[in-house]
Amino acid sequence: MSTETWKKVDEYFTKKLHAPHSIMDEVLKANEEAGLPSIDVSPNQGKLLKLLVQMKGAKKILEIGTLGGYSTIWMACALPEDGQLITLEYAEKHADVARTNIEKAGLSEKVEIIIGAALDSLPVLEERGETDFDFIFIDADKPNNPHYLEWALKLSKPGTVIIGDNVVRNGKVVDEDTEDAVIIGVQSFIDLLSGNPRIDSTAIQTVGSKGYDGFVLGIVK
């Protein structure tokens, strides 16, 4: 089947299963107008994140990779009144767009954006005592995925849900001869998951408006 078919099916499920989310449409429009790369999760993936947060009953979320705040808002919408989401973003421009989007969504009190390289920000979180996250979403530069996973495990507790996005890469994840740093980063990420006894995980392949990809879902033991 073609990518066009996948896109139509995505749109079908979004229309049938999602309540109207004008703010989410506005976020995507704002991101596009700001010139941000079109790499947000799809609406169906965004709602999946929201449902997973609700299923977990998460009160404390860590997101590595904010972009314009689209996935941030989906997850923050599922938080209880006293919930907190900390999101890490490298680019100040992206963070500025995300901050505006989050404010429009009425979620500023629940969301903290930290600007800078995530590998610099994560030790700061540990120093601040920001540990025991219930839910961690990794969706940033893929070459650093193994390092992000190591930090996610440091900042987690038994039962923490860890999700890593974009792990299939149009099937390139199985290319053993690749020299692509992105693919190598994903493969190293999977190898760490495979060899670490602290986490039980699986991967789900997806097709849709974002093409052929997938995500890893794990639970810390």
Side-chain angles (χ1 to χ4, degrees), residues 160-180:
T160 297
V161 173
I162 298 177
I163 295 179
D165 201 14
N166 307 126
V167 298
V168 174
R169 314 301 302 186
N170 204 31
K172 294 178 182 178
V173 68
V174 298
D175 183 358
E176 297 179 356
D177 299 319
T178 185
E179 296 181 358
D180 186 330

Side-chain angles (χ1 to χ4, degrees), residues 23-58:
I23 184 61
M24 305 312 296
D25 294 336
E26 290 176 18
V27 170
L28 291 178
K29 183 179 179 182
N31 290 354
E32 181 181 6
E33 290 176 348
L36 272 58
S38 181
I39 54 174
D40 309 274
V41 299
S42 70
N44 279 312
Q45 292 166 345
K47 188 166 186 184
L48 175 62
L49 287 171
K50 176 185 176 183
L51 293 176
L52 289 172
V53 169
Q54 289 177 316
M55 290 166 66
K56 169 60 184 171

